[in-house]
Amino acid sequence: MRSPSANPHAPTTPAVTSAGSAPLQAWLTLLGLALRNLRRNLRRTLITATAIGGGLGLVLVAVNMNEGTYKAMMDTAISAQAGHVVIQAAGYQADPDPLRLVAGARGVAETARAVYPEARVVQRSRIAGLLTSPANAVGAGLLAIEPSAERAVTDTHTKLSAGEWLADDDDRGVVLGEELARRLKVGVGDKVVLMAQGEAEVSSRLLRVRGLLRTGAVEIDAGLAVTTLACAQAFLERPDTANQISLHLPSAEGTGPMAASLAGSLARAELEVLDWEQALPEVVEFIRADRVNNAVTMGIIGIIVAIGVLNTVLMSVMERIREFGVMLALGLPPRQIAALIVLEGTLLGAGAAAAGLLLGVVLSWPLVTYGLDYSDMLGSESFETAGVVISSTLFATWDVGGMAGWTLAAWLMTILSTLWPAWTAARLSPVDAMRHV
Amino acid sequence: MPIVSTRQLHRTYLQGEGEVHALDGVDLDIEPGEFVALMGASGSGKTTLLNLIGGLDRPTRGEVQVDGHALGALSSGALSRLRLDRIGFVFQAYNLIPVLSARENAEFVLLMRGVPADERRRRVDATLAAVGLEGLGDRLPSALSGGQQQRVAVARAIAGAPALVLADEPTANLDSRTGTELVEMMRRLNTEQGITFVFATHDTKVEERARRVIWMEDGKVQRDERRG
């Protein structure tokens, strides 16, 4: 037998008794291989990426639309129903009895203006009673406002469909919702009588209809009547009182500490000072529940897409079993085979998530800028949801955090979808895998 | 010291309710630099023996030593590392990675080992030249003939300067002329570079050029013939 000659390529390899850790170069090689594997069946890769990216894009549009709707609800509820910070008699939040009044309301309002000069401060009262006309009697909620001050914080006056808006000192005027007026069979200039619980007994007051309102929300138009704070004070025979003094600020952020600070400045134990989240628990709860509901729905859609991705990745793994067998035979450890598949999912997910984010931005932009007009579908210019009347033209809002979260979730979901196929490939025996047809 | 040593090597497979003794007590020593052909009919145990020597399969009983390492004592990871560092494989169906060019296929093992770029380039250039593939390095396997693909597979097997190359029916899918050229080439690599080759084959061309022919039958070594 010929004696062996020296091998000119003398191996310079590490000891073989330890698995050691793969060099960075090996991981970069796997990364390059993963990219090429994605290009190998480009049509399948594009279809999978389209499913992920398209789904994500639509989810992002929904996220931005939902956030826009929530913002519209909060803005409207804050401006019309409460304020960013609300001062009211202690216990009014739990039991909104019209007779729980803030005494010395003007002084309280002045203090609030002094503490927060940037705030617009309005006083409001609410009276639940019966409006009667010669033709009918209808239950209604009377909102008593300072008409001129209220113009700066709500757009109720713009909903006037007939007649004129109220004057601050008009203690007999009332503006009725169109549907309420129709039920009472009254028009502008007609008289109605308000009957409600007074200080000791049921009181009544003659009011004259100054104008009609059309908000577009049937429930509101059928039950809303607006009068002046002066009228409410005269009816209750409680001058310089109001149920609420509300502060309207440039931003809804950080109102909790402001409420606490204002409570300290007022130093009146018989008053409670709430931020808007405390003052509007129904709206806050509705939005919170709706967010959870939407997240669950989108999550289910995500899981369905993930199962589709899992199927595709598993299919691509099954097609390459022989190839993985060869790699195992050449000396790739099983963890690198698994890593290759996870890397493919990582790259696919990153590309699809980026495309989905772009799609979401492109589709959301016109909805943020021009809004989406549902008025034809709803048959009115506004609609009521959770007791809040908002415009039928809904605007999306950029929910950067939500978009980032869902984009990341789509990416992670794609990566997670590859774990089982990767585990399957890593468990292959090289001999069996290379026999695979 | 032998590069390959097997002692009382058994490999039994379950088939239905019975057992198939693919290997039945094989004792074998292969010295560095040998050019060995395992011959025998289908089912004689050639491929099983090759798989056990390559650490692709575990014996039911017995021991395999490769390059001084008892394979039975190695973990799965260490076995992978041994294959990566010390063993080259050539398969019947070429089994190149389809998304890598000829050059990248040849380079693959070196990349996974972390061999520096300059060293890698030098080795791959030399290897491609040795297997007669100069100028074809950028082609994908799909753009190469069967013979060229098998040359790439040989280049991949030897580029990492392994202690041992195991070739399972490497000429089975090639026409006679191409098969002869490939065997001649591997013989030359054996002579010039001292690489140990062990073939499992039916091909008489391989047998004719082998310096040692081991005949197998029913999982046993029937005859071990050394040639001059």
Side-chain angles (χ1 to χ4, degrees), chain A residues 6 17 33 46 61 75 79 138 143 151 159 199 234 246 272 296 323 344 351 356 368 371 373 376 384 431:
Chain A
T17 47
L33 200 54
L46 288 176
V61 171
D75 286 350
S79 65
V138 178
L143 174 65
R151 279 173 178 267
K159 311 290 184 190
E199 191 72 65
S246 54
E272 60 187 16
V296 169
E323 200 172 307
E344 289 173 18
V368 170
D373 187 356
D376 285 344
E384 182 262 338
V431 172

Side-chain angles (χ1 to χ4, degrees), chain A residues 5 26 40 94 101 121 179 202 218 245 290 351 368 425 436:
Chain A
S5 59
R40 182 196 290 196
L101 293 160
V121 182
E179 179 61 19
V202 174
V218 176
I245 292 98
D290 202 53
V368 170
H436 188 84

Side-chain angles (χ1 to χ4, degrees), chain B residues 213-226:
Chain B
V213 181
I214 298 169
W215 298 89
M216 296 192 68
E217 191 177 314
D218 297 332
K220 293 180 176 161
V221 173
Q222 286 299 109
R223 188 153 48 99
D224 187 346
E225 181 184 331
R226 291 170 194 270

Side-chain angles (χ1 to χ4, degrees), chain A residues 9, chain B residues 89-90 96 101-107 122-138 144-162 165 174 177-190 192-193 195 197:
Chain A
H9 300 287
Chain B
F89 288 91
V90 180
L96 300 177
S101 67
R103 180 181 189 82
E104 289 165 334
N105 264 289
E107 199 178 19
R122 188 182 66 73
R123 282 200 201 185
V124 173
D125 285 345
T127 306
L128 288 176
V131 300
L133 284 175
E134 298 109 316
L136 298 177
D138 293 334
L144 296 172
S145 70
Q148 288 169 331
Q149 287 188 55
Q150 199 59 302
R151 281 168 184 263
V152 176
V154 173
R156 179 176 66 187
I158 66 169
V165 172
L174 303 177
R177 184 166 152 264
T178 311
T180 304
E181 285 174 5
L182 189 84
V183 176
E184 289 294 349
M185 184 194 76
M186 289 195 275
R187 186 73 176 83
R188 182 166 42 77
L189 290 167
N190 168 253
E192 292 174 358
Q193 301 188 13
I195 300 171
F197 281 87

Side-chain angles (χ1 to χ4, degrees), chain A residues 183-273:
Chain A
R183 290 182 187 176
L184 289 168
K185 295 191 169 93
V186 296
V188 175
D190 291 341
K191 294 175 193 168
V192 291
V193 174
L194 167 65
M195 294 176 70
Q197 182 64 44
E199 191 72 65
E201 57 189 14
V202 174
S203 304
S204 63
R205 186 172 178 85
L206 184 69
L207 305 175
R208 189 168 297 276
V209 178
R210 306 293 185 205
L212 301 179
L213 284 173
R214 182 168 57 214
T215 65
V218 176
E219 297 86 347
I220 303 296
D221 290 349
L224 178 67
V226 182
T227 186
T228 64
L229 191 65
C231 174
Q233 289 170 351
F235 175 77
L236 296 170
E237 297 177 343
R238 297 279 297 272
D240 195 18
T241 58
N243 289 129
Q244 292 179 320
I245 292 98
S246 54
L247 284 73
H248 298 259
L249 297 154
S251 163
E253 301 295 319
T255 52
M258 293 174 77
S261 169
L262 187 56
S265 299
L266 290 167
R268 282 176 57 176
E270 77 277 19
L271 299 181
E272 60 187 16
V273 184

Side-chain angles (χ1 to χ4, degrees), chain A residues 80 93 258 401 413:
Chain A
Q93 188 67 23
M258 293 174 77
M413 179 206 76

Side-chain angles (χ1 to χ4, degrees), chain A residues 31-50:
Chain A
L31 186 66
L33 200 54
L35 264 175
R36 292 195 196 185
N37 282 335
L38 290 174
R39 281 207 317 245
R40 182 196 290 196
N41 196 332
L42 192 59
R43 187 168 55 180
R44 180 164 63 195
T45 300
L46 288 176
I47 289 172
T48 311
T50 302

